[in-house]
Amino acid sequence: MQDRRLYRAWETFLSQGETPTGVRDEVLASWQRSLDSKVPVDRSHTQTLSEGEFFRIRQQSGAFLAAAQPALQQGGEFLRGARSMVMLSNAHGTVLDTVGDPLAIELGQEIGLCRGGLWDEGHIGTNAIGTALANQQPVTIHGYEHFCCEVQRWTCAAAPVFSPLSRRILGVVDLSGPASTFSPQGLAYVVSVARQIEGELRQRTETDHRRIIECFLHERLRWQHRDAIVVSRTGMVVYGSPAAKRQLERVAGNVFYEDSIPLLRDTPSEESLEKLTARLPTAEICPLFDGDEFLGVIIAPRPARSERRARSSAALLEPLSEGGSVTLEGLIGDSPAMQSARERASRLAATHAPILIEGETGVGKELFARGIHAASAQAGPFVPVNCGALPRDLIGGEMFGYVGGAFTGASQEGRPGKLEAAHGGTLCLDEVSEMPLDLQPTLLRILEDGVVYRIGSHEPRHVDARLLSMTNRNLPEEIAAGRFRQDLYYRIAAMRLRIPPLRERGDDIALLAEHFLHRQACQQGRPARRLAEEAMQALLRYPWPGNVRQLRNVITTTDALVDAPVISLHDLPEEITQSLPLSSVPARETSESDLASLQRQAIEQALLQSGGNISQAARRLGIARSTLYCRIREQRIPVPGREHFPA
């Protein structure tokens, strides 16, 4: 009888726009929000995320998911055979996980009530997940209380989960099943599970904070005379002097939200550190690790004296900055190989033809690209795009732009792509070989016609930009393997520029090492350390598979760990001091097989010294972990402690 009255009330609300009686206030308010959002009542299935988008969302919710696992596993066992399932969503209504009765999980697929399903009110109208998020309170939505017809066959109860410290809503626990499984105890159950997850989060947070404070105290001698704050990986300020926070807020107040830095919480650790450094240029940022696990950061404003010295040495620091103005003349190196590359780059910059910049990882391809841009007639912006770092499902929107509502997650205002942003300037495609094969024809057409169409739009937009592409792969081999289009290759490689690896640059190693030592000293407001002769000879003998980036990491790390004014041979990492001498092998005459052998030896040695820990080995070599994985697979290098090569 109650169901029939609810159905008539729902029909009256939709057909006559009247406020019916006998309907709970929170349900009526949700119906009105659903109507205002123009949710179709006959929508049979909510949208679900692509695999790439869902993977990214789950990564962002990693700590929340981990804390919820004990409660979810317990719920899965409890609900087996009960024709119901329990779900966890994030704060935007995206379902992160489902456990419970297999039949209920299978039925949920029909309406998108599954992992990756979007259950906010804006997508599927009144439902327990969306309404609990909207009201930030536990709620039961049963049968005809749902806004969309197909969902009315279900009964759901949901409770929000809050951060134990900030009370920010993290997500929702939901219990769902066919309408016939309704039980008034369902709401009490999800509230109980939500409180259990909050308790687990509180315990994990307290443990994390204790560990990060212990790490900070271990470093206390370095920071005892500095104003600093300690921030956890979840973005919470765990410890800090008010003076430090005030100084940092003056530089970039929008980094903070109340007593937290959301950037650390919402971004993967490596990316968040880069962004934080860019947002706080006058601060020293020191990541804290417990073994291989990232715990958080120490952030300290630099003393005024150090800031003055850093500004006075800007000309020296400029060539190796990531985003600053770079000139070809300012690139460090006097070796014949470097002089030749610089001269060729200068000649190519005078043309408007596309240039393919080739070189191993870490040789400085982007610095050459920025130098070419600065030397060219292009007055517009330099727009870099890392084709290898963008998820496959998002690269089209990033490159070509989109109109509002073109795809799930797109902003209503739409957004121009990188191609449009580079109009009048330079578009720099890094790792161009990683561009998906199905997007390559579109890029080729745009390069040929100079016209771009945003995703979801038929309006042509004219683009005039200089094209620079970069790769560490052999593109002709990629073409032969069917991974890169030959016609696109000829379009982007009208002119080619090879950047020499560090092992071919002779005494440039010494120049670069001294530069990095001087840069560290300027940043910290102290005299520069120098390298002992035997230490310098060890650097000159080493093959540097990670090139300039590896040298920079080695010098920076060694300089930070040494207290004496002179860095000795014993202060250098073991992979440097134990390397094979190369003096008998002239750099320019070394064969590719010899270089591959040296590279393999360096990788094997780093893996052995790190006990098979690939993250530590990558840091020793000064290269990205993903690059090391690729080289291990390509050369089939065994990893200590593992039976198989990394997948």
Side-chain angles (χ1 to χ4, degrees):
M1 196 69 181
Q2 176 67 19
D3 285 349
R4 193 176 302 167
R5 283 199 297 270
L6 263 176
Y7 179 72
R8 283 201 296 267
W10 175 76
E11 278 194 321
T12 300
F13 177 81
L14 292 176
S15 60
Q16 301 175 23
E18 298 177 0
T19 303
T21 58
V23 182
R24 291 181 293 149
D25 290 343
E26 60 263 38
V27 174
L28 275 174
S30 178
W31 284 358
Q32 188 60 55
R33 288 193 297 270
S34 305
L35 200 64
D36 294 342
S37 298
K38 297 181 172 55
V39 178
V41 294
D42 58 351
R43 178 166 286 169
S44 60
H45 186 288
T46 193
Q47 288 180 273
T48 54
L49 297 179
S50 67
E51 286 186 14
E53 287 178 297
F54 181 58
F55 176 77
R56 181 174 57 83
I57 293 296
R58 276 181 65 91
Q59 271 194 319
Q60 290 176 349
S61 306
F64 180 40
L65 270 167
Q69 281 310 303
L72 290 179
Q73 290 172 4
Q74 188 179 43
E77 293 298 321
F78 175 70
L79 294 173
R80 193 172 297 278
R83 297 175 62 213
S84 297
M85 59 177 168
V86 64
M87 290 170 290
L88 186 75
S89 87
N90 67 4
H92 302 290
T94 303
V95 177
L96 301 173
D97 209 353
T98 60
V99 296
D101 186 71
L103 178 60
I105 292 174
E106 185 178 347
L107 286 172
Q109 299 274 353
E110 297 176 3
I111 58 171
L113 197 58
C114 57
R115 286 161 48 117
L118 305 180
W119 282 83
D120 57 291
E121 288 183 342
H123 278 93
I124 196 67
T126 305
N127 71 91
I129 293 175
T131 305
L133 285 171
N135 296 335
Q136 298 200 8
Q137 290 183 346
V139 68
T140 297
I141 301 295
H142 174 67
Y144 292 114
E145 290 180 328
H146 290 94
F147 186 76
C148 294
C149 306
E150 288 298 318
V151 191
Q152 291 173 346
R153 295 178 295 157
W154 288 75
T155 186
C156 311
V161 180
F162 295 93
S163 164
L165 294 180
S166 67
R167 300 310 296 166
R168 177 179 62 90
I169 193 164
L170 300 175
V172 166
V173 177
D174 174 89
L175 176 68
S176 291
S180 59
T181 64
F182 171 76
S183 169
Q185 283 78 40
L187 190 62
Y189 169 73
V190 292
V191 170
S192 172
V193 173
R195 298 297 87 79
Q196 182 181 344
I197 295 172
E198 289 173 357
E200 182 71 21
L201 282 167
R202 184 177 297 106
Q203 184 176 341
R204 288 175 179 238
T205 300
E206 290 171 355
T207 301
D208 272 2
H209 288 187
R210 185 167 58 252
R211 290 168 67 201
I212 197 172
I213 288 297
E214 287 173 355
C215 286
F216 175 62
L217 292 175
H218 185 69
E219 301 273 343
R220 64 186 179 278
L221 289 177
R222 180 181 173 188
W223 303 98
Q224 61 182 348
H225 300 303
R226 299 279 300 275
D227 288 325
I229 64 172
V230 182
V231 189
S232 73
R233 58 188 166 189
T234 59
M236 296 301 299
V237 176
V238 179
Y239 164 85
S241 70
K245 190 178 178 188
R246 283 195 299 272
Q247 289 183 63
L248 294 170
E249 284 177 333
R250 281 198 296 270
V251 176
N254 57 354
V255 167
F256 292 90
Y257 177 74
E258 296 178 348
D259 281 328
S260 69
I261 298 181
L263 179 64
L264 281 168
R265 179 190 70 218
D266 299 332
T267 316
S269 58
E270 291 183 4
E271 185 181 342
S272 67
L273 289 174
E274 291 179 6
K275 290 185 175 179
L276 198 58
T277 302
R279 298 277 290 278
L280 296 170
T282 61
E284 186 175 353
I285 298 172
C286 174
L288 291 173
F289 289 89
D290 185 1
D292 199 35
E293 184 181 2
F294 173 67
L295 294 180
V297 294
I298 301 171
I299 307 175
R302 289 199 183 100
R305 181 167 61 94
S306 175
E307 289 177 29
R308 285 196 298 271
R309 290 193 180 184
R311 282 194 295 270
S312 69
S313 62
L316 179 63
L317 300 181
E318 190 177 55
L320 287 167
S321 67
E322 290 298 323
S325 175
V326 177
T327 63
L328 293 171
E329 296 76 17
L331 295 177
I332 295 171
D334 295 326
S335 65
M338 189 64 173
Q339 288 181 15
S340 175
R342 228 179 357 235
E343 182 180 354
R344 180 172 173 81
S346 182
R347 290 177 180 272
L348 296 181
T351 73
H352 191 69
I355 302 172
L356 177 64
I357 304 174
E358 300 167 289
E360 297 174 5
T361 298
V363 294
K365 295 187 291 294
E366 185 173 336
L367 291 174
F368 268 84
R370 290 182 181 275
I372 290 170
H373 170 71
S376 70
Q378 303 297 115
F382 178 89
V383 180
V385 181
N386 190 328
C387 301
L390 291 172
R392 180 183 178 86
D393 299 293
L394 302 181
I395 191 169
E398 284 291 319
M399 286 290 294
F400 311 129
Y402 56 84
V403 296
F407 54 86
T408 302
S411 69
Q412 293 303 309
E413 298 79 21
R415 199 174 75 176
K418 299 291 189 182
L419 283 158
E420 284 185 62
H423 180 67
T426 300
L427 177 70
C428 182
L429 301 180
D430 192 10
E431 296 187 43
V432 68
S433 60
E434 303 300 321
M435 175 165 286
L437 198 60
D438 54 352
L439 286 180
Q440 292 179 23
T442 307
L443 177 61
L444 177 64
R445 177 184 54 76
I446 292 170
L447 296 177
E448 294 283 358
D449 301 337
V451 174
V452 63
Y453 294 84
R454 293 186 185 179
I455 294 176
S457 170
H458 298 290
E459 179 186 352
R461 299 170 189 270
H462 292 276
V463 174
D464 180 21
R466 173 78 179 266
L467 178 67
L468 302 178
S469 304
M470 303 187 295
T471 184
N472 59 6
R473 293 180 181 270
N474 185 316
L475 287 188
E477 289 181 2
E478 295 295 300
I479 293 168
R483 292 188 291 267
F484 201 82
R485 289 178 62 102
Q486 189 174 45
D487 48 2
L488 180 58
Y489 171 75
Y490 288 131
R491 187 67 180 82
I492 67 173
M495 296 185 175
R496 296 166 65 184
L497 174 66
R498 177 183 177 272
I499 311 304
L502 190 54
R503 61 180 172 271
E504 295 181 8
R505 294 176 54 182
D507 289 342
D508 283 358
I509 295 171
L511 288 175
L512 286 163
E514 290 170 357
H515 165 78
F516 293 133
L517 287 171
H518 189 79
R519 183 171 73 166
Q520 284 284 97
C522 287
Q523 289 175 344
Q524 296 173 18
R526 56 168 175 78
R529 295 186 178 90
R530 61 183 181 85
L531 287 154
E533 181 60 26
E534 65 270 26
M536 183 66 79
Q537 289 303 316
L539 296 181
L540 292 171
R541 288 196 303 267
Y542 187 68
W544 299 109
N547 293 292
V548 180
R549 184 182 294 128
Q550 183 187 5
L551 174 62
R552 181 190 64 195
N553 292 347
V554 166
I555 295 297
T556 303
T557 303
T558 304
D559 184 70
L561 297 175
V562 171
D563 293 323
V566 179
I567 296 173
S568 71
L569 177 65
H570 301 295
D571 294 323
L572 296 176
E574 289 182 1
E575 69 264 26
I576 306 297
T577 58
Q578 296 178 7
S579 64
L580 294 174
L582 299 179
S583 55
S584 61
V585 185
R588 282 189 168 274
E589 297 176 8
T590 304
S591 69
E592 289 187 11
S593 61
D594 290 335
L595 296 178
S597 176
L598 290 171
Q599 185 182 87
R600 182 184 180 94
Q601 289 173 11
I603 291 173
E604 286 176 341
Q605 190 174 48
L607 287 170
L608 187 64
Q609 291 167 350
S610 61
N613 186 307
I614 292 179
S615 297
Q616 290 182 16
R619 282 200 293 273
R620 283 176 176 270
L621 293 168
I623 59 178
R625 183 168 54 183
S626 57
T627 301
L628 181 56
Y629 267 111
C630 290
R631 292 182 180 175
I632 291 172
R633 286 200 302 270
E634 288 168 359
Q635 301 186 36
R636 299 190 64 78
I637 299 173
V639 178
R642 300 193 187 187
E643 296 180 3
H644 306 287
F645 302 106

